[in-house]
Amino acid sequence: MSNLLKSKVLLGLMVVAVMVAGVFAFTANTADAQVACTVVSTLRQGSVGTEVMCLQTKLGITADGKFGPMTAAAVRAFQTANGLSADGIVGPMTRSVLGGGAVVTPGLPAGCTSTAGYSPVTGQPCSGGSGVNLPAGCTSTVGYSPTTGVKCDGTSTPPVTTTGEGVVTLSYAPVPANSTSVDKGQSKNVMALEVKATGSDMNVNRIWLNIGTRAWLSASEVAIMDGSTVIATLPLSASTVSEVTAGSVWRLEFNGLNINVPVNTTKTLTFKVTRPELTSANDNIVIATSSTLRATDGAGFSETYTLGGRTWVMSSNTAAVGTLTNTLSASNPKAQSNSGLSTTAGSLTAVELLRFDLKAKDGAVNVTRVQGTVAVASGTCALAECLASVELRDGSTVLSSKSAASPFDFNELDIDIAEGATKTLSVWGQANHVAASFVVKGDAIVAAVTAVTGTSGPSFTAANAANTVTGNNQYLFEYAPTITLGAASATNSGVDNRDGSFSLAFNITAPAGSDIYVSNTAVSTNAASRFFAEKTAAMGGTLAVSLSATNATAVGGDLAYRISAGQTATFTVTGLVPGATGTAGFTGMKLTEFDWNTTNATAGDVDQTWGLTDFKTPAVFVTGA
C-alpha cells in the first residue's frame, strides 16, 4: 500500500472515530441537539470533528463531521441571510449569531429576520404564508441551492460534480522530449506535464519546480499553458525565484493556480521558456525530483504530489533565422454561389474570399504585415459597392479590418508562428446588400495575397513571402441554389461494346426563401437555359444526352421545372457516345453549365459554370471509324 493511500485510510479512520465520539455528545432529538451543542472554534473548509457536526446540525444539513464544499456553501448562505460577510468561515461573528441553535426571530420561520424572502434554513416563505416550499438554502426560485445543489425552482438538478476524495497521477508527455534545447533568442515549449484525476475532480492550485541553477541568468520567463491558453507566467529574476538552499537550490513557484481536472480525464500543462539573445549563462535547468504539484479533491482534502526529474537545455547557440512560405490552403473555398445577402440597405454579409497557409521553416517567424488585392471578377458593381470592408481573420477572430479598396494592406499585425508550424489565415469581405446600385445578382469577387512581411531571430531579420496566392471567384446572391454531385458511372455498350454509355446524377436544393426554376432539357452543345453536358475528350461520335428528374415540378414556360423553396430535386443526365465514327480513345461525360432563375423566365437567368469541376463520369474506351 502506498504512503499516500495509507495516509488517506488513516485520516478516514480518524474522521470516523471523531464522528462516532461526537454522536454521544448529541441528544437523540435534533431540536435538542441544536440547543445543546456549541461551536467555540474557528471552522473553515477542511476542518473535521464534533464541532463541525454541531455546525452542520445547526445549519440543517447532513452532519458527517467534515467541513467540505457543501458545508461551506451552507455557511455562506447562513451568513448572507443574517447580514454577515459571506466568507464561508465560521469566526467569532458567525459563532455569535449561531448561538445555541438556528437563528429564530419570534413569529418568523427559523433563519428569517423579516417577512421578506425565504428561510435559508427551511426554504419556507419568511412571510409564513403557504408559498413555494423552496429547497434548503434557496431564498427564491432562481438558481441552485448552495446546500443541496438542486434547482431552487424544484424542477431539476444541475449536472453532478464529483465531490469525493481523489488523487492525481503525474507523467510527462513525449513531446517536448526531455532535454529539449532552447537557443538564444527563442521562446520554446520545454516540457508537458500530464495530470490525471482519479476518484474525484481535482483542482491544481500550486506547482513548485526546484532547480539547481540561477535560472534568470539564462532565461527571462517561464509560462504554463493549457493548450494555447497561458495560465500563469513567472518572470525570472533574483527577486522572483525563491532561494531554498543558499547557493544550491532555487524554486520556480507558481502559486494561486485554479486548474480544474475533471475526474477520469487528463489535462496537459505545457511549460514554455523564453530566452533572450544576450544571456550570461548557458546552463541546463534541471527540474529536481523534489519538485511538487499540489491539488485539492472534491472533498476538500489537499495533497502534494512529486514530479519526476526533467532537464531544460539552455543552449549556447543563437536561434536560427526562419523563412516564410505562403501557399493556397487545401480548404480554400471553391468558386461558389454565396446565397443569403440581404436587400436591406446597410445590412452586411460576411463572405470568405481566400484561405492561405503561412509556414515558418528553420526558425520561428513573427508576421507583421499582409498585403493583397481584391477585385470585382465579374458583374456590374464597383468594388466599394460590392464590399463595405475587407478583413483578415485567424479562424473566427478578426485580426484587422480595412475599408474595401485594392490593394489592401493589413500592416499592424503581430502573429507568431513557431518553427515548423503552419498558420492558416483567411481574407473575408463584408458584402453590401442587393440593390440596383450595390450588389447585383451574380456579381463575383476575387481576392489575392501578394506579399507577407515578417521577422525572425533575435536580430529581427526579414522573413518575407513575396509570391501571390489567389482565391476563387465568390458569387453573390440574395437567393441561389446549391448543387451537389450524386452517382456517376460509365460503361461500354452497343455492338462489340464500341459505344460509351454514361450517367451523371446530381442534386439541386432551392434556398429556404425562394423557388428555383431550371430547364427540363439537357443538351450536348451549349444553348440558352439548358443543362449543358459534353464529352471529357473528343473521342468517338457525337454525344447524345437526355434528362430526367425527381421531386421537381413540371410547370411549363421558359424554365419548365420548379424546385420549391427548401426542397431538393435529383436530376440525372444520361449520355451515349457512339463508337462507329470519330477517333478511338477514352472519353467520359461532364456537366459544364446549368442555367437557373428565381422566376420562370430566361430573362435575367444565371448561366452557372462554377462549382461543377467534379461533375464528371469515369472514362471508357470507344472505337473509331
Side-chain angles (χ1 to χ4, degrees), residues 405-463:
S406 190
F408 58 76
D409 188 355
F410 302 113
N411 57 6
E412 67 284 10
L413 307 175
D414 182 16
I415 306 170
D416 288 321
I417 307 177
E419 178 184 353
T422 298
K423 170 69 72 174
T424 299
L425 302 176
S426 55
V427 176
W428 290 67
Q430 289 288 350
N432 277 313
H433 63 288
V434 177
S437 60
F438 285 88
V439 177
V440 178
K441 181 171 65 175
D443 284 346
I445 306 296
V446 63
V449 168
T450 57
V452 182
T453 302
T455 62
S456 180
S459 299
F460 303 100
T461 303

Side-chain angles (χ1 to χ4, degrees), residues 377-400:
S378 65
T380 60
C381 68
L383 178 60
E385 292 172 337
C386 267
L387 299 182
S389 62
V390 181
E391 299 172 346
L392 181 69
R393 296 190 184 190
D394 179 1
S396 61
T397 302
V398 177
L399 302 178
S400 183

Side-chain angles (χ1 to χ4, degrees), residues 46-71:
S47 300
V48 296
T50 55
E51 284 191 289
V52 175
M53 294 180 71
C54 178
L55 168 68
Q56 291 166 328
T57 303
K58 291 176 181 291
L59 295 175
I61 62 175
T62 302
D64 60 3
K66 295 187 293 185
F67 197 130
M70 299 299 284
T71 302

Side-chain angles (χ1 to χ4, degrees), residues 316-338:
S316 59
N317 299 325
T318 299
V321 174
T323 58
L324 188 67
T325 62
N326 181 21
T327 57
L328 192 67
S329 175
S331 57
N332 178 64
K334 297 179 180 180
Q336 60 188 348
S337 301
N338 292 271

Side-chain angles (χ1 to χ4, degrees), residues 160-471:
V160 176
T161 300
T162 306
T163 57
E165 295 185 29
V167 295
V168 156
T169 304
L170 301 177
S171 60
Y172 287 110
V175 179
N178 191 22
S179 300
T180 290
S181 180
V182 185
D183 295 336
K184 296 177 181 179
Q186 269 190 330
S187 184
K188 194 171 184 180
N189 296 342
V190 290
M191 76 179 191
L193 182 64
E194 295 182 334
V195 184
K196 182 177 181 180
T198 304
S200 168
D201 293 354
M202 301 295 292
N203 187 275
V204 177
N205 43 60
R206 187 185 79 189
I207 298 176
W208 287 355
L209 303 178
N210 291 338
I211 59 177
T213 56
R214 295 174 174 86
W216 62 89
L217 299 179
S218 57
S220 59
E221 181 182 279
V222 178
I224 302 178
M225 298 182 298
D226 180 1
S228 60
T229 303
V230 177
I231 298 173
T233 301
L234 179 65
L236 301 181
S237 68
S239 61
T240 61
V241 178
S242 302
E243 189 170 18
V244 180
T245 303
S248 62
V249 179
W250 292 265
R251 179 183 292 149
L252 310 181
E253 295 186 2
F254 296 91
N255 296 310
L257 303 177
N258 184 26
I259 306 169
N260 182 60
V261 185
V263 64
N264 297 327
T265 65
T266 300
K267 185 175 288 293
T268 300
L269 303 178
T270 302
F271 291 75
K272 185 175 186 177
V273 169
T274 298
R275 189 158 189 243
E277 181 182 10
L278 299 177
T279 61
S280 59
N282 302 313
D283 294 328
N284 290 348
I285 299 177
V286 179
I287 309 303
T289 55
S290 58
S291 300
T292 58
L293 176 148
R294 190 168 179 81
T296 303
D297 61 19
F301 295 109
S302 294
E303 297 287 353
T304 300
Y305 303 87
T306 302
L307 279 64
R310 209 70 170 173
T311 300
W312 307 342
V313 178
M314 303 296 106
S315 168
S316 59
N317 299 325
T318 299
V321 174
T323 58
L324 188 67
T325 62
N326 181 21
T327 57
L328 192 67
S329 175
S331 57
N332 178 64
K334 297 179 180 180
Q336 60 188 348
S337 301
N338 292 271
S339 183
L341 271 67
S342 174
T343 57
T344 302
S347 180
L348 304 179
T349 303
V351 176
E352 185 176 13
L353 305 175
L354 168 66
R355 193 176 299 187
F356 59 102
D357 294 334
L358 299 178
K359 183 173 183 179
K361 299 174 63 177
D362 304 322
V365 173
N366 178 263
V367 174
T368 58
R369 187 178 189 184
V370 173
Q371 297 168 273
T373 61
V374 60
V376 179
S378 65
T380 60
C381 68
L383 178 60
E385 292 172 337
C386 267
L387 299 182
S389 62
V390 181
E391 299 172 346
L392 181 69
R393 296 190 184 190
D394 179 1
S396 61
T397 302
V398 177
L399 302 178
S400 183
S401 179
K402 303 287 186 180
S403 297
S406 190
F408 58 76
D409 188 355
F410 302 113
N411 57 6
E412 67 284 10
L413 307 175
D414 182 16
I415 306 170
D416 288 321
I417 307 177
E419 178 184 353
T422 298
K423 170 69 72 174
T424 299
L425 302 176
S426 55
V427 176
W428 290 67
Q430 289 288 350
N432 277 313
H433 63 288
V434 177
S437 60
F438 285 88
V439 177
V440 178
K441 181 171 65 175
D443 284 346
I445 306 296
V446 63
V449 168
T450 57
V452 182
T453 302
T455 62
S456 180
S459 299
F460 303 100
T461 303
N464 305 329
N467 61 303
T468 297
V469 174
T470 305

Side-chain angles (χ1 to χ4, degrees), residues 21-38 53-54 57 63 100:
V23 169
F24 295 100
F26 286 84
T27 64
N29 184 279
T30 303
D32 292 339
Q34 289 180 333
V35 175
C37 73
T38 57
M53 294 180 71
C54 178
T57 303

